Amino acid sequence: MTTTTQTPAALGFSMPTEWDTHAATWMGWPFNDDYWLGYLEVARQDFTQLIRTIADFESVIVTVADEEAEQDAKKRLGATANGLTNIRFRRFEIDDIWFRDSGPIFIRDAKNKLPLTDWGFNGWGNRFEWKKDTLVPKGIADELGAKRYEIPIIMEGGALEINSQGVLLTTKQCLLNKNRNPKLSQAQIEHYLKDYLGVKQFIWLERGLEGDRTDGHIDTITRFANDTTIITSVHEDKNDTNYAPMQENLEILKNARQPNGDLYNLVELPLPRKRMDVDGERLPMTYANFYIGNGFVVVPTYDDANDNEALQILQSNFPEHKVIGVNSTGLITGGGSFHCVTQQQPIGEVMGNG
């Protein structure tokens, strides 16, 4: 464990935004057919398209859990397949592939120094295996030779959405859930996020989507497009169980203030019209689980009537990025989509322990 008499924030470090330039994207490769409930093949097809899309714009580091996963990933992707020479493979022992939550969160200072933060991970409240996944940040730190700040509380990247002014979006359903940090108050959790990620202001929403096994991660419902624009999910059917919680969040956002006191520019993003269920459980289908990279935004689509509208809305709010829709009907069977399976490494000089 790295110890210091000063917190990262006190030393000038903070969490960069997702739209900051990336040095690489870290991902895992799906490998457990039991976990995927028989949908592993279609999930791998979606992963192949997702990784190829990202690799057109930036380096992708694909973590493989075992020999079968490594050979399958290399067969489908290949280090030089279709000229994608910026796909690299690393062997890590992992329980699963949701790197947004199990992976590290990088921080950076004004000198462009880049250490990482290592938060505890408990499989979204002990729902799934996690003892290998919680070691992923250490594995990446060792791989990069990076300084690692180990924080003694549970925290998941998918629960956090930040802009360059240090404003953090999150939900009470997740961060205040007793299956994460039962002994911590809201104020204590805020204190950790201020000290280690440089958060300056909080916007607390209430709930996420029905069927979200993460207990309401923010990255399935509400995202920043820039410092002054918030994109938030809504459902058009008043009889749908997602309608009321999305409206509740919308009302909170209508009253939220920027650091200068101005209101935010709010953009409503429709949820998919159709419903998908696996083993009687609703899947949290959403367009808000997009991933922002170097000049692109890759958006999950579902062969749904609202796909095109969602892509058009996002393109108008990311005018300097190429917005790309990629099928996620296989990947979503695992309970998440593109943002959930990616973790960006911002550009910067990796800071060692010396």
Side-chain angles (χ1 to χ4, degrees):
M1 176 176 177
T2 302
T3 59
T4 179
T5 57
Q6 290 183 289
T7 65
L11 295 169
F13 291 97
S14 61
M15 178 182 174
T17 69
E18 194 169 313
W19 57 82
D20 274 86
T21 305
H22 300 175
T25 294
W26 287 82
M27 298 179 66
W29 186 256
F31 63 96
N32 187 333
D33 194 44
D34 290 336
Y35 174 80
W36 288 93
L37 302 175
Y39 293 94
L40 178 62
E41 173 57 29
V42 289
R44 284 177 164 180
Q45 291 173 16
D46 288 355
F47 262 78
T48 300
Q49 292 305 114
L50 175 61
I51 292 171
R52 287 187 180 280
T53 298
I54 297 172
D56 279 339
F57 297 87
E58 61 187 70
S59 176
V60 183
I61 304 167
V62 181
T63 296
V64 289
D66 53 32
E67 183 66 18
E68 188 278 333
E70 181 170 357
Q71 293 306 315
D72 184 76
K74 287 182 175 179
K75 179 180 178 181
R76 296 175 193 253
L77 296 167
T80 58
N82 293 335
L84 300 180
T85 56
N86 52 344
I87 298 177
R88 292 176 284 156
F89 301 91
R90 293 291 183 271
R91 180 75 73 90
F92 282 175
E93 287 193 359
I94 52 178
D95 295 300
D96 220 323
I97 46 75
W98 309 103
F99 267 43
R100 180 62 51 181
D101 299 333
S102 61
I105 298 176
F106 289 88
I107 53 177
R108 191 172 59 195
D109 68 2
K111 296 180 180 179
N112 224 26
K113 299 292 186 179
L114 196 74
L116 58 81
T117 61
D118 178 358
W119 304 78
F121 178 69
N122 72 347
W124 310 281
N126 292 301
R127 283 187 172 89
F128 301 98
E129 293 293 328
W130 54 268
K131 291 184 179 180
K132 294 177 182 177
D133 281 348
T134 198
L135 300 176
V136 167
K138 183 181 185 302
I140 292 178
D142 291 345
E143 174 82 13
L144 298 174
K147 182 171 183 174
R148 178 173 60 96
Y149 289 97
E150 190 174 0
I151 304 109
I153 74 168
I154 302 299
M155 190 62 60
E156 299 138 18
L160 311 173
E161 176 74 7
I162 199 165
N163 71 7
S164 69
Q165 298 174 326
V167 181
L168 185 85
L169 288 162
T170 190
T171 70
K172 294 179 181 179
Q173 182 187 2
C174 181
L175 260 59
L176 303 187
N177 197 306
K178 295 304 181 183
N179 63 12
R180 303 306 207 275
N181 300 293
K183 296 182 180 180
L184 297 183
S185 66
Q186 179 174 327
Q188 289 172 316
I189 291 171
E190 289 185 352
H191 187 72
Y192 275 103
L193 292 168
K194 290 176 180 178
D195 281 352
Y196 286 92
L197 299 183
V199 177
K200 297 177 181 178
Q201 180 180 329
F202 293 82
I203 300 175
W204 288 88
L205 302 187
E206 292 293 337
R207 294 177 289 163
L209 298 174
E210 180 187 8
D212 183 359
R213 301 169 186 168
T214 69
D215 301 305
H217 271 188
I218 194 72
D219 68 354
T220 63
I221 54 172
T222 306
R223 307 287 303 282
F224 281 112
N226 53 54
D227 283 343
T228 61
T229 302
I230 297 175
I231 298 172
T232 193
S233 299
V234 293
H235 205 291
E236 57 197 16
D237 183 359
K238 293 183 178 181
N239 295 316
D240 191 279
T241 51
N242 283 323
Y243 178 85
M246 296 305 101
Q247 288 298 311
E248 185 178 25
N249 290 336
L250 181 62
E251 290 304 312
I252 294 170
L253 292 169
K254 286 179 179 178
N255 294 306
R257 298 279 177 170
Q258 300 177 42
N260 67 1
D262 289 345
L263 294 170
Y264 284 94
N265 172 35
L266 294 183
V267 178
E268 296 181 20
L269 184 68
L271 287 165
R273 291 185 188 177
K274 71 181 182 183
R275 173 179 176 137
M276 289 179 61
D277 295 78
V278 169
D279 276 7
E281 181 179 6
R282 186 175 189 175
L283 297 174
M285 297 165 61
T286 174
Y287 302 110
N289 204 245
F290 54 80
Y291 178 58
I292 308 169
N294 295 343
F296 73 96
V297 178
V298 60
V299 183
T301 59
Y302 307 94
D303 298 320
D304 187 86
N306 282 343
D307 285 356
N308 288 336
E309 181 184 358
L311 292 173
Q312 290 170 9
I313 290 171
L314 292 171
Q315 184 63 79
S316 67
N317 284 279
F318 288 96
E320 297 181 0
H321 292 72
K322 183 177 181 180
V323 172
I324 306 165
V326 173
N327 184 66
S328 185
T329 53
L331 176 52
I332 194 64
T333 61
S337 195
F338 300 163
H339 196 255
C340 301
V341 298
T342 50
Q343 182 59 260
Q344 69 272 11
Q345 177 184 331
I347 195 167
E349 180 184 349
V350 173
M351 184 177 178
N353 286 302

